[in-house]
Amino acid sequence: MLCSAHLNVPSFLFLQPLNTAKLRNPTFIPTLRKTSPTLTCGSQPQPKRKPTPRKRPPMDGQKPTSRNRRKSSYGTSRRSILKKTFSQEQVTFSTPVPDDPVVGIIGGGMAGLICALNLEKRGVRSTVFDTGVHGLGGRMGTRVIEPQPLIFDHAAQFFTVNDPRFAELVQGWSEGGLVRQWHGPVGELEAGGHFLPLSSSAPRYVAVNGMRLLADSILSQTQMVDVVRPCWISKLEPYNGMWYLSENGKPKGQFDAIVIAHNGKCANRLLATSGLPLIARQMKRLELSSIWALLAAFEDPLPVIMSDGFPFEGAFVRGVDSVSWMANNTKKLLGSSNNGPDCWTFLSTAAYGKWNKVPQENIPTATAEKVKAGMLKGIEVALGIAKGSLQRPFYTRLQLWGAALPNNTPGIPCIFDPHGRAGICGDWLLGSSLESAALSGMALANHIADYFQNSGPPDEFAVGLDTEFQPLEGHDIGQFPAMEESKEQMEEEINQVEEYQLTT
């Protein structure tokens, strides 16, 4: 990401270069602590612990059935989930890893896809499960509206390159015509319309037809990776040395190891009764903030002229509570010669996301209208134009990223529990960026492959199970003085613009 240290820029969206001193030749220190009861999962009976049917079906080598499945934890309270998370028994697999192991990867964003790609490079097959209806990619999401077409990157806006391993990947994309540098003016926009271009030398990269193209490209490089979507894995169950995955009671396959490549409340619920208390505990330590994304298309250009007479294409907004970033995706992706409508992506501050947090799967209409009105009002303030003078967009779409930005991080490439044969990868493990997501996926893939090929004690492969989290400062959207406002102050300001109606 570009200049986030002094800009307070969003880490997962603008993808800051990493401090690779921590990443090159990382040393994995065994940290597995056997602080939880152990449930041994193998093909032979375990004399040291008798099965307890009340908690878990016997390990009799049979495939799980609907009769012995426990009820899903979905819909339960957070306190109930925490109680289950920390009281569950630790799964310990005793059967040898087969010669041709298969890994189940839950999450098809950058980290999950890169993990699958690098497992294949090590000769390991995998299946990626993703909830995406329109495609893979997670926060590499791109929305195209026909027939104009209108095109929006509605999460990651651009990325930079620092680590040589990621540079090699980007070089391949560049040679294939998939990415190019974004030369358009990007800078800081102070409330009132005062724009200051950034003078960074770090090149900004974008995918030529939207970020989702990169996810498709990664998948096209594989032959040993299956993809199942849309699919919401709701349960993990260990049986006879394997992990059985299911979606609302429907079996989705069995795997020798699993990878959790997503986060948030759904990941926490999934892990709450999985038999992986050490993994679940680390995931629970992650603190996330929410961000609203407003996609809006305008017939005429917005008044975004700089002092030199040219319009800017992207800006980190400061001094506005409801908006922290704005970018002209039409100019960014299609070039300044395009004469069609301008498609803009506006991102809220973390504070605005916090005070308007609702279930992202079911956003109330009243909340959506209030948020849209508040963000459009914030755009007027940022641009320094009169109240009510912003032209009405002819197309809008609002999305809430409920688990958008990490507030803390363990600062390690990946987490792995060798006894439960389960790992975690994701951008948040290294601070959050597209580059860190890729490096995390690479690290976990190679670690799992090494584990499969090594016959040594499992404890040698424990990674990150006790690593403490550290707060992230100066990287998240909305870390401005407005973050200190009270909820009542912000709600009062939002209510003042509710009458501003939005044409959808």
Side-chain angles (χ1 to χ4, degrees):
M1 181 171 313
L2 192 57
C3 299
S4 67
H6 71 281
L7 284 175
N8 302 308
V9 292
S11 46
F12 86 84
L13 297 160
F14 310 111
L15 310 171
Q16 162 137 358
L18 295 171
N19 181 356
T20 55
K22 295 182 178 181
L23 302 178
R24 295 192 180 98
N25 301 318
T27 300
F28 294 142
I29 302 175
T31 58
L32 184 64
R33 296 190 308 179
K34 297 183 180 179
T35 58
S36 302
T38 300
L39 179 67
T40 303
C41 185
S43 58
Q44 300 296 326
Q46 301 298 320
K48 294 184 180 180
R49 179 175 294 275
K50 295 181 180 180
T52 53
R54 183 178 63 84
K55 293 184 177 181
R56 188 179 298 276
M59 294 297 152
D60 56 2
Q62 299 300 313
K63 185 176 179 180
T65 64
S66 59
R67 185 172 58 184
N68 59 30
R69 280 197 181 92
R70 289 165 292 175
K71 293 182 178 180
S72 170
S73 62
Y74 282 80
T76 55
S77 68
R78 183 176 185 273
R79 180 177 296 180
S80 175
I81 292 173
L82 281 171
K83 184 177 180 180
K84 292 178 180 179
T85 297
F86 300 125
S87 63
Q88 61 180 313
E89 295 176 304
Q90 169 70 43
V91 170
T92 297
F93 289 102
S94 61
T95 55
V97 176
D99 293 335
D100 186 22
V102 184
V103 177
I105 301 174
I106 305 170
M110 172 63 80
L113 292 174
I114 289 294
C115 184
L117 175 64
N118 282 267
L119 282 172
E120 177 167 320
K121 291 179 179 180
R122 298 289 300 272
V124 179
R125 295 181 293 130
S126 65
T127 296
V128 175
F129 298 91
D130 191 74
T131 60
V133 175
H134 302 287
L136 294 166
R139 284 175 282 197
M140 292 185 291
T142 301
R143 186 167 294 275
V144 179
I145 309 300
E146 301 293 351
Q148 273 102 341
L150 308 176
I151 183 168
F152 306 86
D153 281 332
H154 59 101
Q157 298 289 291
F158 64 85
F159 62 91
T160 55
V161 180
N162 188 51
D163 190 277
R165 293 164 294 181
F166 186 58
E168 181 180 354
L169 184 64
V170 175
Q171 179 65 28
W173 290 338
S174 180
E175 293 174 354
L178 301 179
V179 302
R180 62 173 178 79
Q181 288 191 36
W182 182 17
H183 296 291
V186 174
E188 290 183 297
L189 180 64
E190 293 281 354
H194 308 290
F195 180 83
L196 179 65
L198 297 179
S199 58
S200 173
S201 59
R204 298 181 297 271
Y205 292 91
V206 297
V208 293
N209 291 313
M211 287 292 182
R212 180 166 286 150
L213 183 68
L214 302 183
D216 297 335
S217 172
I218 295 170
L219 191 60
S220 71
Q221 300 176 50
T222 66
Q223 295 180 337
M224 298 167 58
V225 178
D226 294 326
V227 173
V228 179
R229 72 166 182 86
C231 177
W232 201 295
I233 297 298
S234 58
K235 199 168 191 64
L236 308 171
E237 294 179 289
Y239 281 83
N240 195 29
M242 302 283 286
W243 281 106
Y244 286 77
L245 276 55
S246 60
E247 179 185 27
N248 298 324
K250 184 178 180 180
K252 290 296 179 180
Q254 59 193 64
F255 302 92
D256 299 288
I258 54 171
V259 168
I260 309 298
H262 71 113
N263 54 43
K265 64 180 182 180
C266 294
N268 289 334
R269 285 170 174 165
L270 180 65
L271 289 168
T273 57
S274 62
L276 298 166
L278 301 178
I279 289 279
R281 181 182 61 187
Q282 291 298 75
M283 188 69 84
K284 271 291 181 182
R285 286 177 172 172
L286 174 63
E287 299 173 1
L288 296 161
S289 60
S290 302
I291 295 295
W292 288 94
L294 174 62
L295 314 181
F298 301 89
E299 290 286 3
D300 300 315
L302 296 185
V304 293
I305 304 301
M306 300 185 298
S307 58
D308 59 4
F310 292 95
F312 67 79
E313 295 181 10
F316 301 102
V317 181
R318 307 193 68 167
V320 178
D321 295 334
S322 60
V323 181
S324 65
W325 166 261
M326 56 192 299
N328 187 332
N329 279 242
T330 301
K331 296 296 186 288
K332 181 185 79 172
L333 298 175
L334 304 180
S336 58
S337 61
N338 184 277
N339 296 319
D342 281 348
C343 299
W344 285 80
T345 295
F346 304 102
L347 301 172
S348 80
T349 63
Y352 196 73
K354 178 180 179 180
W355 302 134
N356 293 279
K357 182 67 179 294
V358 294
Q360 64 186 69
E361 302 84 3
N362 186 24
I363 299 174
T365 301
T367 301
E369 291 302 316
K370 182 173 71 171
V371 168
K372 290 176 185 177
M375 293 185 70
L376 289 174
K377 179 63 177 179
I379 294 163
E380 290 182 338
V381 175
L383 296 177
I385 60 179
K387 179 180 178 180
S389 64
L390 181 70
Q391 63 173 297
R392 292 181 180 272
F394 67 87
Y395 169 85
T396 62
R397 181 178 179 88
L398 190 70
Q399 178 164 340
L400 173 63
W401 293 103
L405 300 172
N407 296 324
N408 58 353
T409 177
I412 54 177
C414 62
I415 296 173
F416 186 68
D417 175 0
H419 291 283
R421 297 177 184 171
I424 303 176
C425 61
D427 57 353
W428 57 273
L429 287 158
L430 291 166
S432 188
S433 72
L434 190 63
E435 182 173 59
S436 61
L439 294 175
S440 179
M442 293 178 191
L444 183 56
N446 287 319
H447 194 69
I448 291 175
D450 289 343
Y451 168 78
F452 284 162
Q453 296 172 4
N454 192 290
S455 58
D459 283 352
E460 294 181 358
F461 289 89
V463 177
L465 296 173
D466 288 307
T467 303
E468 295 294 330
F469 281 54
Q470 300 298 324
L472 279 170
E473 297 180 359
H475 288 70
D476 292 349
I477 293 180
Q479 301 299 321
F480 307 130
M483 279 290 288
E484 304 304 320
E485 284 192 341
S486 68
K487 181 177 181 181
E488 290 73 21
Q489 288 175 310
M490 182 164 287
E491 287 181 340
E492 180 180 354
E493 179 180 337
I494 293 169
N495 291 333
Q496 291 175 354
V497 298
E498 279 194 70
E499 72 276 9
Y500 188 97
Q501 296 300 316
L502 176 64
T503 302
T504 59

